[in-house]
Amino acid sequence: MVVVKDGPIVSDEEAANHDGMEDLDVEVSESEAESEEEDDDDAVKLVEPSKNSIYNREGLLDKLGDISWPEDVGWLHKLSIDIHQEQEVDVNDDLNRELALYTQALEGTRQAFVKFESMGRPFLRPTDYYAEMVKSDNHMEKVKGRLLAEKRRIEEAEERRKARENKKMGKQVQAQKLKERAKQKKEEVESVKKWRKQRQQSGFSEKDGTMELAFEEGNAFERSNKRRPGVAPGDRSGGKARQGVGKGKKGADKKRKGRDFKDSKFGFGGKKGLKKQNTADTTNDLRGFNKSDSSKNLKRKR
Amino acid sequence: MGKKRKHAEVVAVPIVKKDEIDSLERPQRTLFGWKDKNVEPEKQTDGTIFRNKEKVLVTCSRRINFRYRHLMLNLVSLLPHCKKDNKVESKTTKGATLNELVELKSCSSCLFFECRKHKDLYLWMAKCPNGPSIKFLVDAVHTMEELKLTGNHLNGSRPLLTFSTNFDGNPHWKLIKEMITQIFGTPKDHRKSKPFHDHVFVFSIADDHIWFRNYQISCPHTGVDKIDRGGLDKLTLIEVGPRFCLNPIKIFGGSFGGPTLYENPYYVAPNQVRALEKRQKAGKYAKKVKAKTRRKMHELSNPLEPDEFADMWKEE
């Protein structure tokens, strides 16, 4: 709640300075004057009261007597309540000033409520009492719209802030995850070793083998995560296409011609040079050789 | 127009008689019974009869700012007992014109918004025809249209008036308080008023200015008819507006004129303020020029001693 004082504002100090400036004795730096201007908001005011201002005390009281209502007028006519202000309000402190005014109003309402209740008169309007309001519905719609917009703005800002923080946190989280994974793996290996030892000690050597296999398979599977056989090192499709082919057996024929298959066979993306190099896997891979071909060759030789 | 006035006079005259008769004849007084009669006197405890028939004429000077005009319209919507009139030319003779106008409209007081130079707003608060009148400078104006002020209340419900206690100090504050209670308070049982109270006015003196606020009284989540002591704590206020701040300048004995009874010793006219500001800006340049000439004079009066090494290298 910012109150903007309308009209220009000049401090009393400045007013005083002005008098001095005529003979150029007083030197006020511009910045000083400006800061004063901002500080003394109320400053349309003389420092000292002017001497020759009129104050006709009798006249005022006389007039007051003339216009005032009879003493015994019921409170219902006036509806006025006096509230004592605890402390002097600093006018330039917007927040405190508004608070003081608000508390005055609230206190007044409470007192009035007590009075109304004791008199048995209605106070607030019942909820089903509809009548013309001071502000039109149109206007209130606008007010509501503004409130909603503000709320939305705040929420959006909050979201943005959260996203930013998450981004910051992301790296740490990632590092944490890797660490955890490594730890888990280590633990598993450890537990297997321990278990194996126990088995050996207790003498179940036959069954041991099968169990071992099961565990080793698990380990092997983990390893395969890193490097899949039959996938070129530069293949960014990760050999997924080949797996996909294996999954859908019904549509296997169709898919062989599909993009996925081609990608898996010839590779997709990545550096070409790396893909075309032989690796240990490819040299050991004998899938490309056809056994029947070799038999034909033999026949031909004969 | 003329017809209306006549009617008012006719009503005004027999009030006293009727009251006397009524008080004798009727043992029971009901709200509706009185309303039919169009006269609603209230018997006080000791037998005197008082009825508030305040009517306020609200008008403004010509060439008023839109903001200030809106402020005036806001006040019109807050005062169901007021009559709005056309703009009045703000001349030296405006006092007489306004007095005439007030009489013509059969009003008993007047709020006159005088705008000067499209930026300074003065508010005249006058009791007519022979009451005092007060001239204020209006400051820090916020109108009801501002979207920050989210409250709303019944049009024509009677406001509660809260005053800070420092109104009871000096006689001029007392007088101002009395004027405000009469002008801003809606008369009891006014025909345009509603029988409920859902807003509250704040008049508070801070820094010799009168600050005005208007709050809606709201009590959330309860059926309003059964508001209890507990509900009293839940009362909240929502600001409705408008806001303004009055700086009293002068109090005159008559309406729009007459002997001056009070003069604000601290008051500086906005014109003066602006002039000061301007002059200060002008002073900046004058100061610079003066400093320059002073420097020159100083240099002339204290010439530098000739340097003994000045032509040391020239000889070679």
Side-chain angles (χ1 to χ4, degrees):
Chain A
M1 291 194 176
V2 181
V3 173
V4 184
K5 274 230 171 190
D6 287 349
I9 288 141
V10 170
S11 70
D12 9 326
E13 278 89 345
E14 278 171 77
N17 284 342
H18 171 70
D19 295 342
M21 229 163 53
E22 302 269 275
D23 40 30
L24 275 163
D25 280 331
V26 188
E27 287 182 22
V28 187
S29 74
E30 191 61 25
S31 63
E32 205 180 299
E34 255 169 37
S35 71
E36 273 169 9
E37 203 169 332
E38 277 163 2
D39 288 346
D40 295 326
D41 206 51
D42 56 320
V44 194
K45 211 173 141 188
L46 293 174
V47 199
E48 283 185 12
S50 61
K51 298 286 190 305
N52 50 2
S53 63
I54 302 166
Y55 199 106
N56 188 348
R57 197 172 283 268
E58 287 77 35
L60 284 171
L61 289 174
D62 200 26
K63 272 291 164 197
L64 179 62
D66 277 358
I67 62 161
S68 57
W69 293 338
E71 281 289 309
D72 48 358
V73 162
W75 177 76
L76 273 179
H77 283 282
K78 280 188 168 177
L79 291 181
S80 76
I81 293 161
D82 295 339
I83 305 295
H84 182 66
Q85 261 174 6
E86 281 84 28
Q87 69 242 19
E88 199 62 20
V89 188
D90 180 18
V91 192
N92 301 319
D93 187 353
D94 285 339
L95 216 62
N96 271 336
R97 185 195 58 222
E98 292 307 319
L99 187 69
L101 294 172
Y102 182 87
T103 46
Q104 182 186 328
L106 195 62
E107 193 55 39
T109 333
R110 285 190 178 145
Q111 289 185 17
F113 169 70
V114 172
K115 279 187 183 179
F116 276 118
E117 203 182 42
S118 65
M119 272 184 257
R121 310 254 325 183
F123 181 50
L124 285 176
R125 76 183 165 118
T127 38
D128 55 351
Y129 182 90
Y130 291 107
E132 195 191 347
M133 307 291 271
V134 199
K135 290 178 183 172
S136 63
D137 286 352
N138 208 352
H139 180 79
M140 289 316 280
E141 196 78 7
K142 268 190 211 163
V143 170
K144 202 173 159 192
R146 186 178 177 274
L147 282 180
L148 284 179
E150 203 158 286
K151 199 176 156 198
R152 210 179 313 130
R153 217 189 53 218
I154 288 169
E155 271 172 10
E156 273 169 12
E158 189 85 354
E159 240 166 58
R160 273 201 300 275
R161 198 175 55 80
K162 253 182 202 166
R164 221 177 300 135
E165 266 172 19
N166 277 350
K167 213 175 177 184
K168 233 181 251 172
M169 291 290 288
K171 261 185 190 170
Q172 292 176 14
V173 170
Q174 192 66 24
Q176 190 75 16
K177 247 186 204 167
L178 284 178
K179 226 187 223 171
E180 237 164 61
R181 234 178 253 165
K183 200 180 158 194
Q184 200 186 344
K185 193 178 164 186
K186 206 175 162 189
E187 264 175 21
E188 272 170 13
V189 169
E190 204 89 330
S191 72
V192 168
K193 270 183 188 167
K194 207 174 161 189
W195 189 82
R196 207 186 274 169
K197 231 180 221 171
Q198 267 184 358
R199 281 267 157 168
Q200 271 177 353
Q201 277 173 0
S202 56
F204 289 120
S205 53
E206 273 185 32
K207 279 190 178 178
D208 232 11
T210 53
M211 295 305 279
E212 240 176 72
L213 242 174
F215 278 103
E216 266 177 3
E217 263 174 25
N219 277 345
F221 178 70
E222 266 189 10
R223 229 174 272 141
S224 78
N225 254 347
K226 261 187 210 165
R227 230 169 115 212
R228 290 180 209 89
V231 177
D235 189 357
R236 272 205 261 164
S237 75
K240 268 180 194 168
R242 181 164 283 179
Q243 283 174 7
V245 168
K247 268 180 206 169
K249 284 209 169 178
K250 275 187 181 175
D253 288 312
K254 265 186 195 173
K255 277 191 179 168
R256 280 188 87 83
K257 283 165 196 166
R259 184 75 254 164
D260 287 343
F261 173 71
K262 281 177 186 167
D263 281 347
S264 72
K265 189 172 181 186
F266 305 112
F268 171 70
K271 283 179 182 170
K272 293 286 189 282
L274 281 176
K275 219 188 298 183
K276 290 184 176 172
Q277 276 175 353
N278 266 346
T279 61
D281 281 329
T282 54
T283 43
N284 291 332
D285 187 13
L286 299 174
R287 279 184 301 179
F289 293 102
N290 203 341
K291 280 172 190 172
S292 61
D293 268 5
S294 69
S295 65
K296 275 176 189 173
N297 282 342
L298 281 174
K299 274 184 182 175
R300 270 182 202 167
K301 272 185 181 177
R302 275 176 200 173
Chain B
M1 183 62 238
K3 215 176 184 183
K4 239 185 183 175
R5 218 172 70 196
K6 247 183 197 170
H7 176 68
E9 276 167 11
V10 170
V11 173
V13 173
I15 282 174
V16 186
K17 287 179 193 168
K18 240 182 192 176
D19 290 344
E20 284 166 4
I21 297 161
D22 282 340
S23 58
L24 289 174
E25 279 178 354
R26 298 196 179 189
Q28 285 274 326
R29 274 182 285 122
T30 63
L31 194 66
F32 295 102
W34 290 117
K35 263 200 169 162
D36 288 339
K37 290 279 170 192
N38 206 11
V39 195
E40 298 144 325
E42 174 124 333
K43 215 181 171 197
Q44 297 303 309
T45 44
D46 64 340
T48 53
I49 286 150
F50 173 77
R51 178 161 138 69
N52 183 4
K53 287 184 295 182
E54 191 77 26
K55 231 186 246 177
V56 186
L57 181 80
V58 179
T59 179
C60 63
S61 69
R62 294 186 63 189
R63 290 182 286 280
I64 193 174
N65 228 341
F66 79 96
R67 199 182 173 76
Y68 297 150
R69 194 182 65 244
H70 284 201
L71 175 71
M72 182 189 75
L73 293 176
N74 288 160
L75 278 182
V76 167
S77 70
L78 289 181
L79 310 176
H81 57 291
C82 81
K83 284 190 171 181
K84 193 167 82 69
D85 201 47
N86 298 344
K87 290 175 181 172
V88 176
E89 184 69 64
S90 157
K91 282 185 258 178
T92 43
T93 57
K94 66 171 183 288
T97 331
L98 278 168
N99 276 334
E100 206 171 304
L101 208 65
V102 171
E103 204 193 331
L104 215 71
K105 292 274 183 182
S106 66
C107 292
S108 56
S109 49
C110 180
L111 285 178
F112 178 57
F113 291 83
E114 188 181 358
C115 185
R116 286 193 193 159
K117 295 196 164 186
H118 295 288
K119 40 191 145 180
D120 307 323
L121 182 67
Y122 297 91
L123 174 63
W124 285 82
M125 215 181 260
K127 296 290 289 180
C128 297
N130 44 16
S133 52
I134 314 172
K135 190 184 179 189
F136 296 99
L137 179 72
V138 186
D139 237 348
V141 171
H142 292 245
T143 60
M144 243 189 223
E145 278 77 29
E146 276 174 37
L147 296 181
K148 259 186 228 160
L149 309 170
T150 52
N152 198 359
H153 60 76
L154 284 177
N155 194 1
S157 62
R158 297 182 63 207
L160 304 169
L161 307 172
T162 61
F163 291 92
S164 61
T165 36
N166 41 12
F167 268 103
D168 298 328
N170 291 323
H172 71 276
W173 286 126
K174 271 187 198 164
L175 183 71
I176 289 173
K177 182 184 173 186
E178 184 64 32
M179 297 266 288
I180 287 174
T181 30
Q182 295 192 7
I183 289 176
F184 282 87
T186 306
K188 188 171 169 291
D189 301 328
H190 187 271
R191 73 194 165 79
K192 277 187 201 164
S193 73
K194 309 256 159 56
F196 306 107
H197 307 270
D198 64 348
H199 67 294
V200 49
F201 286 169
V202 177
F203 295 95
S204 177
I205 299 177
D207 188 46
D208 290 327
H209 290 53
I210 303 168
W211 296 80
F212 172 86
R213 294 287 182 273
N214 176 22
Y215 294 99
Q216 174 201 353
I217 305 167
S218 78
C219 187
H221 308 311
T222 48
V224 172
D225 355 354
K226 44 191 172 195
I227 178 176
D228 53 353
R229 298 286 148 143
L232 204 54
D233 297 330
K234 273 186 223 147
L235 273 184
T236 51
L237 302 177
I238 309 168
E239 185 160 5
V240 181
R243 293 174 170 185
F244 53 85
C245 173
L246 298 174
N247 184 13
I249 304 169
K250 269 186 182 181
I251 299 178
F252 299 101
S255 78
F256 296 106
T260 309
L261 300 179
Y262 166 79
E263 226 175 356
N264 189 351
Y266 295 101
Y267 174 71
V268 182
N271 264 345
Q272 250 168 311
V273 171
R274 279 192 290 267
L276 269 182
E277 219 173 50
K278 253 187 200 169
R279 228 174 295 166
Q280 196 155 33
K281 267 180 197 162
K284 206 168 99 187
Y285 177 67
K287 218 161 51 175
K288 239 193 261 173
V289 171
K290 211 133 201 179
K292 248 183 202 171
T293 53
R294 201 161 33 175
R295 179 72 196 156
K296 222 170 223 173
M297 294 300 285
H298 180 78
E299 274 172 0
L300 280 178
S301 58
N302 314 316
L304 281 173
E305 283 177 23
D307 192 0
E308 49 181 311
F309 302 115
D311 33 33
M312 194 163 74
W313 303 104
K314 271 183 188 171
E315 285 171 16
E316 289 175 20

